[in-house]
Amino acid sequence: MSVDASFAVLAEPTRRKILDRLRGSERSVGELAEELAISQPAVSKHLKVLREAGFVVSRVSAQRRIYRIQPLPLQAVDAWLAPYRRLWNDHLDALERHLDTMED
């Protein structure tokens, strides 16, 4: 999946909230619906998009589907963000150096 497609999937706030909940542990559709205070069909719709994009995987447990994060697509987004993170860190380092000279 391309980084552009990953960002399109992650642009939806509810999907990001779902990923936030799954970051801690696996969850069923019902658990996610309750935690997010949205309908089970809405959660299922978002999970389908996340699953098709590779962000989550599921397993069957009795009559429930249990979802968990699949980190590989997030690693691609992280790799795209890496140069920007370095830029941000460089600016913070420059600010720290500037503040240090002001103290002297």
Side-chain angles (χ1 to χ4, degrees):
M1 166 172 279
S2 74
V3 174
D4 288 343
S6 294
F7 277 117
V9 169
L10 296 174
E12 205 327 296
T14 302
R15 291 185 200 128
R16 291 193 309 271
K17 289 176 185 175
I18 289 170
L19 289 175
D20 286 343
R21 295 303 192 286
L22 293 176
R23 189 177 56 217
S25 65
E26 297 180 329
R27 298 227 181 1
S28 68
V29 175
E31 290 169 326
L32 289 166
E34 184 176 320
E35 290 175 18
L36 298 171
I38 59 176
S39 70
Q40 284 190 5
V43 171
S44 292
K45 180 185 105 182
H46 289 296
L47 284 167
K48 179 181 178 189
V49 172
L50 289 166
R51 190 178 64 246
E52 288 175 352
F55 283 94
V56 299
V57 293
S58 66
R59 63 180 174 82
V60 177
S61 175
Q63 294 178 326
R64 303 179 325 162
R65 283 197 176 273
I66 308 298
Y67 288 85
R68 66 179 166 86
I69 287 183
Q70 182 68 12
L72 190 59
L74 294 169
Q75 291 171 347
V77 171
D78 183 58
W80 185 86
L81 288 170
Y84 298 96
R85 193 176 307 102
R86 282 191 299 275
L87 178 67
W88 180 248
N89 286 333
D90 290 346
H91 285 291
L92 288 175
D93 291 344
L95 175 61
E96 182 179 22
R97 286 190 300 276
H98 175 72
L99 293 173
D100 287 345
T101 61
M102 290 178 64
E103 290 176 0
D104 293 340

